[in-house]
């Protein structure tokens, strides 16, 4: 896990563990682990499907966060170093 993710993880208080930001953080962590697994086991299609589901869930949470709290969305995408959503 990269250092910036660890810093973000420890900055989450007990009250915010179910928040949208923390859910996105934990999903990002799982995505990183699954992509490293898939680099070794490229034909593991059940893991690929799980990764797609996690990516979709994270995208939905990012859309929700973008609509409700733009500043928090920008901070989170910068800290986790993930691409921002396309805005029409």
């Amino acid at each position: 896990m990269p250092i910036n993710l660890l810093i973000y993880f420890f900055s989450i208080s007990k009250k915010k563990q179910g928040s949208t930001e923390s859910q996105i953080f934990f999903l990002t962590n799982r995505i990183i682990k699954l992509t490293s697994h898939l680099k070794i086991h490229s034909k593991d299609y059940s893991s690929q499907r799980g990764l797609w589901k996690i990516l979709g869930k994270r995208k939905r949470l990012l859309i929700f966060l973008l609509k409700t709290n733009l500043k928090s969305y920008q901070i989170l995408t910068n800290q986790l170093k993930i691409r921002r959503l396309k805005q029409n």
Side-chain angles (χ1 to χ4, degrees), residues 39-64:
K39 286 179 183 176
I40 299 167
H41 308 283
S42 60
K43 293 189 179 186
D44 188 355
Y45 297 117
S46 59
S47 292
Q48 276 184 0
R49 183 173 185 266
L51 178 63
W52 292 335
K53 290 182 79 138
I54 293 170
L55 286 169
K57 188 171 194 172
R58 184 179 76 172
K59 183 177 179 181
R60 287 191 302 274
L61 286 170
L62 283 169
I63 290 169
F64 172 76

Side-chain angles (χ1 to χ4, degrees), residues 4-12 21-22 25 76 79-80:
N4 63 340
L5 290 180
L6 284 174
I7 292 169
Y8 183 75
F9 173 70
F10 288 118
S11 69
I12 297 173
E21 294 92 345
S22 63
F25 165 75
L76 186 69
Q79 285 182 342
L80 296 178

Side-chain angles (χ1 to χ4, degrees), residues 3-28:
I3 292 174
N4 63 340
L5 290 180
L6 284 174
I7 292 169
Y8 183 75
F9 173 70
F10 288 118
S11 69
I12 297 173
S13 66
K14 289 282 184 188
K15 292 180 182 178
K16 287 189 150 193
Q17 284 187 348
S19 68
T20 307
E21 294 92 345
S22 63
Q23 289 180 43
I24 292 170
F25 165 75
F26 289 119
L27 288 174
T28 303

